[in-house]
Amino acid sequence: MSRGNQHQCLFASRRKMMLGTNALVLLLVISSQLTQGAVDEDDECHITATKLLKKLSKCHGQKTDEMNILFEIQTVKSEILEELSTIKKILRNNNNNHCAQPGLKTINTGGEKYFFSNIQASWYDSKDFCSKYGAHLASVKSEIEMEELHTKIQTLKNRENQYFWTSANDIGMQPGKFVWNDGTPLENSSKLWHIGEMYQEPNEFQRGRETCVNVHSGFLYDYQCNAELFYICEFTGST
């Protein structure tokens, strides 16, 4: 192995140690929240930790002096995942009597119940997260709904000017043929799309890739689905 490759692997191994430490710190934080009864959004903590842990698997097969460190890190990784799984179950059980969606702090607006994430994820991961709780990514089909949702977003600390995933997408469709989660079309001529001085939404789909729709400042934008944004889960028909 060249000296350059050895240096790269050493750097990667040291980075793994830092990531492993961060994940352990996260476990301590979650444990502290558990004992204090602060159990909201446990799944998001789990998602964050999982993202860290995925980064521990690089540099496998490199025959360097760091292999012992790599082995120890993988052992710690398994232990962390097991602990997170246990803590996640405890948090859910403790919340079953507090709200209809255990572990999520929901907000009622316009006759619907919403959950606004405080972490960012791809559209696909955001959709899966909402599904776990019997919800779906928010569908904003009218100007009234948009106004109500925008008003609520403005009250979110440190997130009032952020982009949030909605359910609309053109996955498996002709590029630019957007539909909401229930199959209702989102026309490109809709007044819900942002219209700027230099361009008009939607426009990202023209790059020839699957695009998903997010909401920002009271308007819709299309963007590549694997981008990590905040997201909104909607609990249709909840009380």
Side-chain angles (χ1 to χ4, degrees):
M1 178 185 296
S2 68
R3 184 176 296 274
N5 287 340
Q6 288 179 344
H7 283 296
Q8 290 178 1
C9 190
L10 176 61
F11 174 78
S13 297
R14 288 175 177 171
R15 179 169 176 79
K16 292 183 187 72
M17 292 180 69
M18 295 175 63
L19 290 169
T21 300
N22 288 339
L24 286 171
V25 171
L26 179 60
L27 274 177
L28 292 175
V29 172
I30 297 175
S31 298
S32 174
Q33 291 178 338
L34 179 61
T35 57
Q36 297 173 11
V39 294
D40 287 336
E41 301 169 358
D42 54 292
D43 269 280
E44 295 198 277
C45 292
H46 183 270
I47 291 175
T48 302
T50 300
K51 287 182 178 180
L52 288 173
L53 292 168
K54 287 180 179 179
K55 297 178 181 180
L56 297 177
S57 60
K58 294 181 180 179
C59 207
H60 274 301
Q62 300 285 0
K63 296 181 179 179
T64 70
D65 294 335
E66 307 300 323
M67 287 306 294
N68 288 335
I69 296 176
L70 287 174
F71 178 77
E72 292 177 3
I73 289 174
Q74 291 302 315
T75 301
V76 172
K77 172 184 174 181
S78 298
E79 294 174 353
I80 290 174
L81 286 172
E82 184 177 353
E83 289 295 326
L84 283 171
S85 178
T86 300
I87 291 173
K88 178 181 176 182
K89 290 178 181 178
I90 294 174
L91 291 173
R92 281 186 172 180
N93 290 337
N94 285 350
N95 275 279
N96 279 336
N97 296 325
H98 295 287
C99 62
Q101 291 74 43
L104 299 183
K105 181 183 290 185
T106 55
I107 298 175
N108 291 306
T109 183
E112 298 294 348
K113 181 177 289 185
Y114 297 97
F115 167 76
F116 298 86
S117 77
N118 57 17
I119 68 166
Q120 296 174 308
S122 70
W123 184 89
Y124 308 103
D125 288 341
S126 301
K127 177 178 178 291
D128 289 344
F129 179 87
C130 295
S131 296
K132 287 182 180 179
Y133 288 92
H136 57 77
L137 285 169
S139 296
V140 192
K141 301 177 182 178
S142 69
E143 293 182 64
I144 293 178
E145 288 178 298
M146 177 65 79
E147 182 178 354
E148 292 173 342
L149 203 59
H150 176 60
T151 299
K152 188 58 62 177
I153 290 175
Q154 292 303 296
T155 68
L156 302 177
K157 185 177 180 180
N158 300 324
R159 288 170 287 169
E160 61 272 19
N161 295 315
Q162 298 296 329
Y163 293 79
F164 289 81
W165 284 127
T166 69
S167 71
N169 65 90
D170 67 356
I171 298 174
M173 307 285 287
Q174 180 181 337
K177 295 294 183 180
F178 297 99
V179 294
W180 296 105
N181 69 292
D182 62 357
T184 302
L186 169 58
E187 302 295 343
N188 291 356
S189 59
S190 171
K191 294 182 179 180
L192 298 175
W193 293 104
H194 170 75
I195 300 177
E197 294 182 1
M198 302 298 294
Y199 67 94
Q200 178 177 337
E201 296 287 340
N203 56 15
E204 187 72 17
F205 74 90
Q206 297 172 355
R207 298 176 182 268
R209 57 192 176 195
E210 293 179 338
T211 51
C212 299
V213 179
N214 62 82
V215 60
H216 170 68
S217 298
F219 291 98
L220 299 179
Y221 297 76
D222 70 322
Y223 201 52
Q224 53 186 310
C225 302
N226 59 359
E228 295 191 345
L229 306 177
F230 293 98
Y231 53 92
I232 307 171
C233 298
E234 178 179 349
F235 297 88
T236 305
S238 55
T239 57

